[in-house]
Amino acid sequence: MDNREQEDRDRTLITGPKQINTEHENLQVIEWEDFENELARLWSLSSALKEANEKKRSLQEKLQSLIQVKNESLNKLNDLEEMHERLEARKLAMANMSTHCKVTTEDAKKEEEMLSTEVRSLLVSGTSLSVARKRLQEANRLLTEERGYVKLKNVQRKLRGRQQYMISQVSLLYPVKILVGPAQEQELESYSSSSRLGNSSASKPVSQGSLTILGLNLSMLPFTKMSFFTNKKEVQRSASALGYVAHAVPLIASYLQVPLRYPLCLGGSRSYIIDHVPSVEPASSHWSSNTALSAHVKQAEFPLFLDGQDITRAAYAVFLLNKDIEQLLSFIGVKSLGPRHVLANLKELLRSVQSSEYIDT
């Protein structure tokens, strides 16, 4: 039924071309004889179009998938580049860490060597210290015993006796006496009763004008009054007396084992005394902009004679010589008689060392 209707419709279209609307001018009129061929052709074209659409759809899907794959590939490539940059940064950090590790390892080795050296020295010092401690304990044990203390006291008495004997020889070599009359001399054993340090009793010293050393008088007047040196013999006698004192004092100091604060350069009546005077001088180090002050010690010599010398320098030399004698008096525990009593202090030093109290202390 449907086929007939379709055939009637087709026949109407073919046989009645005048009834077609003139508005459809593009329509093509096909004869019935060519209809089957045209229909077959249209059918094949429709099939080809359908197949082409399917291929197009398939190609679009493939193209879409390829585009998606490409986008994913680009994203992955970006990620790979970021990962590569991070990897390079980590490699650089690792190289820096490796260099730092090497430097640290070398420093640690050096410190380890230094520490091992210090440990070895400490071990040696510890061994020496333990040996010294044992010796000290043994010495303390021997000293705390009755025999040890007695032995120490005996050794001290022998040492002081030896010092007393040697200083008595100095006293015989350079006797210091007090002049009583024009031709009479007596030992100055009773002129002063100076006590040990800490006691308040001390007698008034005798004037230095009455003291002589090896028969020569020493007066402080030449160092205060220039007019006194009109007599050259008096100048020479004073210089000779100071030379005797300058020889006796270091002998006594060596026997007492006391280093003198002011050393002496012996030359008889032309002796000198040395004062180590500190002086401050600016010193620069290694292009430093800051100026540092470094203390240097200068050695100054002062004459123990007045011939051709400055009065002030000579007086200062006698003052320093008396300071040496006061140092020795302080060492044995005896008070000084004053800064202007050179021979009196020397006489008191000789008397104190030769007394029985010196051995018993």
Side-chain angles (χ1 to χ4, degrees), residues 86-276:
R86 277 186 259 171
L87 180 62
E88 291 296 329
R90 289 187 180 180
K91 284 183 179 179
L92 182 61
M94 289 295 294
N96 294 334
M97 289 180 64
S98 178
T99 305
H100 181 69
C101 184
K102 289 180 180 179
V103 174
T104 306
T105 304
E106 292 177 358
D107 294 341
K109 287 182 180 179
K110 292 180 181 179
E111 290 182 0
E112 184 179 359
E113 292 176 357
M114 294 175 61
L115 286 175
S116 63
T117 304
E118 292 180 359
V119 167
R120 285 195 296 269
S121 63
L122 285 175
L123 290 175
V124 174
S125 302
T127 304
S128 302
L129 182 61
S130 78
V131 173
R133 183 179 297 174
K134 290 180 181 178
R135 290 179 181 176
L136 181 61
Q137 291 175 354
E138 183 66 18
N140 288 333
R141 186 181 63 80
L142 295 175
L143 185 61
T144 53
E145 294 178 358
E146 183 178 356
R147 291 182 180 179
Y149 181 75
V150 172
K151 185 177 181 180
L152 178 62
K153 293 297 292 183
N154 291 334
V155 171
Q156 288 179 345
R157 287 178 63 86
K158 288 180 181 180
L159 177 60
R160 291 180 179 271
R162 182 65 177 173
Q163 291 173 344
Q164 194 177 66
Y165 172 75
M166 298 301 294
I167 293 175
S168 67
Q169 300 301 309
V170 177
S171 178
L172 293 176
L173 184 62
Y174 297 109
V176 180
K177 299 179 180 179
I178 182 170
L179 185 63
V180 176
Q184 295 180 355
E185 292 181 350
Q186 71 176 12
E187 294 292 336
L188 191 59
E189 298 293 342
S190 59
Y191 91 96
S192 173
S193 59
S194 297
S195 60
R196 297 277 171 181
L197 286 174
N199 297 337
S200 59
S201 62
S203 62
K204 183 179 180 181
V206 179
S207 172
Q208 282 215 47
S210 59
L211 289 175
T212 60
I213 178 169
L214 206 61
L216 295 178
N217 188 17
L218 176 62
S219 176
M220 295 300 292
L221 291 177
F223 301 103
T224 56
K225 295 182 179 180
M226 189 67 178
S227 60
F228 188 82
F229 280 102
T230 54
N231 187 354
K232 298 297 181 181
K233 291 184 179 180
E234 184 67 22
V235 177
Q236 185 62 36
R237 282 195 293 269
S238 297
S240 299
L242 288 174
Y244 296 153
V245 176
H247 189 205
V249 169
L251 286 177
I252 298 171
S254 65
Y255 299 145
L256 295 178
Q257 297 180 347
V258 177
L260 292 176
R261 172 64 180 83
Y262 306 103
L264 290 149
C265 294
L266 301 179
S269 60
R270 291 295 184 271
S271 298
Y272 289 84
I273 191 166
I274 299 173
D275 185 11
H276 298 285

